[in-house]
Amino acid sequence: MLGVIGGTGLDRIPGLSIQRQEQVSTPFGTPSAPLAFGERGGELFVFLPRHGADHHIPPHKINFRANIWALKECGVKKVIGVAAVGGLSPNMHPGSIVIPDQIIDYSYGREHTFFDGDFQPVDHIEFGNPYCEQLRGELIDAATLADVEIISEACYGVTQGPRLETSAEIKRMLRDGADLVGMTGMPEAALAKEAGICYACCAVVANWAAGLDAEPITMEAIERQLSTSMESVCKILMRMDMR
Ligand code: HPA
């Protein structure tokens, strides 16, 4: 079964009707919202809004462990994390849809592993390729079917938030090799891998990262951009194999 974790600008998937909601409890607490189960062509899918049903949970307060655990418990084998991000590389402009293949994690102080001694014996997961290549391929194929242009390689730099970055931080991230900046890509990707879930990210560039545009970043401009770009993301999701 396919799971979709919706980010800012995606709190439901238009065109996919929800048949049942379930509040799941996990050893790590409750997920961001009840899991919403829907169906397409006889196949079940699950949707979970990362920031809560009313978008009240800031990035550093998201219970990533409960979210991933709950999806796993419900039988989800593959998860697409949709994320609003800022663009750093010149070709990753507002409106670009990007399927990243690498991550640099600048976040801190988050509950970032299931292997913390209390719950399971430690396992050091392999994380050289942080995303599931097969699911990235399925996303890329779905984008082709949906006739949506995407960029299929990028490095996603994950910052702590909730504030946006300084211009100097963005310059450093560019030197590091980051193409995108967002606040929720980690520990989500690592926890999914620890849980044995196939995970890929569909990132939507909402704005130029700090200092790269003459205008300061505003939430209004981000929301405006996302309201159009998420339509393309939904077109891609509608073409995904739900199994
Ligand atoms: N920085 C971090 N997270 C973001 C941004 C950004 O510029 N835009 C959307 N999410």
Side-chain angles (χ1 to χ4, degrees), residues 5-18:
I5 302 179
T8 304
L10 188 74
D11 44 25
R12 60 191 191 89
I13 306 176
L16 288 181
S17 59
I18 298 301

